[in-house]
Amino acid sequence: MCGIVGYIGKRRASPVLLDGLKKLEYRGYDSAGIAVLDQGILRVVKRQGRVEELGAAHSLDGCIGIGHTRWATHGAPSARNAHPHVFRGIAVVHNGIIENAAALRALCLARGETFLSDTDSEVVAHLIAHAFCGDLLSAVIRAARELTGSFALAVLREGGEEIVCARKKSPLIAAAGEGESFVASDIPAIAASGRRAYILQDGEFARLTAEDVQLYDENGALIAREGVVLEEGELAPDRGTYAHFMRKEIDEIPRAVQNSLFSADYFQKNGFSEVLCQTEYIDIVACGTAYHSGLCAKAAIEELLRIPVRVFLASEYRYTRPIVRGDALTIAVSQSGETADTLAAAQLAKEKGCKVLALTNCARSTLTRMSDLLLVTGAGREVGVAATKSFQAQLAALYSLCAALAYFRKKRVPSPKDLLPLCGQSIRESAAVAGWAPCFAAARNVFFLGRGADRCAALEGSLKFKEITYLPAEGYAAGELKHGALALADETTPVVALAFDERLAEKTMNAVHEVYARGAPVFLVTCFPALCGQKEVSSFVLLPACEPAFSPMLSVIPLQLLAYETAVFLKNDPDKPRNLAKSVTVE
Ligand code: M6R
């Protein structure tokens, strides 16, 4: 998604802004730009493509500036549509979507104003310029009243000595250092040990000067709030000797799992007892990989505890009038805690009377502030756009919840702690997938097949594969294949079959026979040695056995590695897949 940085202080702004934009690159973007006040005059450089394309910005002088990486929503990726947008000396960078942009634009056009881009954001510069009567903060507050939708804004005025910011449903953080202030849409862009950070809440505004950061409410009244001192762990991450963050983050899975397992004691001490004793229905809302974690949790909780669990795509939940029981526990799963659809679904569940449990990797995210109960996974920062360690961390927390539900109901289920030593072993045993990459890179289509919990893992495997290889892939219920998709099977369609449940393994192998008979090369991921020797199997990964209902925590590891190895083989950058963003803050 789009990224914002802003700087005001004694240093030249452009290197600080370019550095900040580099640190936001992991979020995904397709164009970039900066605006600097050079002796009070606005200078703007905008380019399509990477931050490196902004080379001309290095020559800009001036100690006040704003910058932006844009992920196109309204209007094609191009320099013209890149931010900052400038109108009558007002420069604006914007994250989010202005839903009434068309109507506002029409008003501006009627006033005889002209537009230079196709974006929804440009209208914000017009509104602020129009509202300006000598005080930028008041103008931004007035303009914000006209906007519907979501926005994080950073605004400069020609001749001014401040940056003004606004937030509604799109994250924004200001930070104060020694004689300098910063603003960004994400902490890594501004973090340095000891700086004091101010996380803007919805409806809040900030005025940054070199001396200070001040927060205001929507009436322009000063808000007194202590900032939080940033710590080492929040600073920009380091790739170390790894070629890509994604590969490093796969190796970090064991630690992520260890830091995301919660004991029954933890649940007891943190206010979960009543809910876990009484809950008869569970709904899970999430998107993408987090949705697949939800499916895996459903498989485990229903299998081991017979408590009904429904899993909703958050984007569907909010618009399909779900039939919701007010006594259901709703779990909102989101690595970032900022995904717009998941936030909206959690809000809707609250309005229906449900208790909302937030499961997130980001303790200071918006989701945490709207939940009744909170589980923060300990995956650490995940930089790769493709979710890896955060998936296993979510499973560790959800399986812990399953064990806690059992504990509070005086039932017994296998302990998810038993998975911990098996994670590192699974990474090592998955090394063989590097050799599979040439075959998968040449594929016309790829199937990931499984039944039960294996099917949930297959869905996540196919998402990962599509996301970074740009090749078509489908996660499929093994038994469903012959009802249509088998028509696609031929020698150009490698199939990854997953088999971790003894009761279902032979059934899954039936699908293997069917695709093999049509020429498809078969790759097996299993914990059953006997299956690996079957003539249909071209190559296999043999993983340690575990409770089948918990097996996706292990079985997804070789699938993450397969996607990674194939992407690298194809010379794609697995950390920054095209068109995608790390946190999707617009719907
Ligand atoms: O931050 P979230 O967990 O809410 O993000 C949800 C999805 O956008 C995310 O899981 C996405 O599908 C992954 N990047 C896929 O690898």
Side-chain angles (χ1 to χ4, degrees), residues 287-291 333-339 342 385-388 394 460 463-464 467 581-584:
C287 303
T289 292
Y291 170 75
V333 187
S334 172
Q335 185 284 129
S336 61
E338 300 293 351
T339 298
T342 307
V385 167
T388 52
Q394 284 163 358
E460 175 56 11
L463 173 64
K464 212 87 320 178
E467 183 178 17
K582 183 66 183 164
S583 74
V584 184

Side-chain angles (χ1 to χ4, degrees), residues 272-293:
F272 286 73
S273 308
E274 194 185 322
V275 169
L276 295 186
C277 286
Q278 289 171 5
T279 295
E280 299 292 340
Y281 301 91
I282 297 176
D283 286 343
I284 299 179
V285 292
C287 303
T289 292
Y291 170 75
H292 294 149
S293 305

Side-chain angles (χ1 to χ4, degrees), residues 528-549:
F528 302 116
L531 299 182
C532 300
Q534 296 200 2
K535 71 171 188 321
E536 291 87 350
V537 176
S538 302
S539 182
F540 62 86
V541 167
L542 183 63
L543 295 184
C546 65
E547 160 56 46

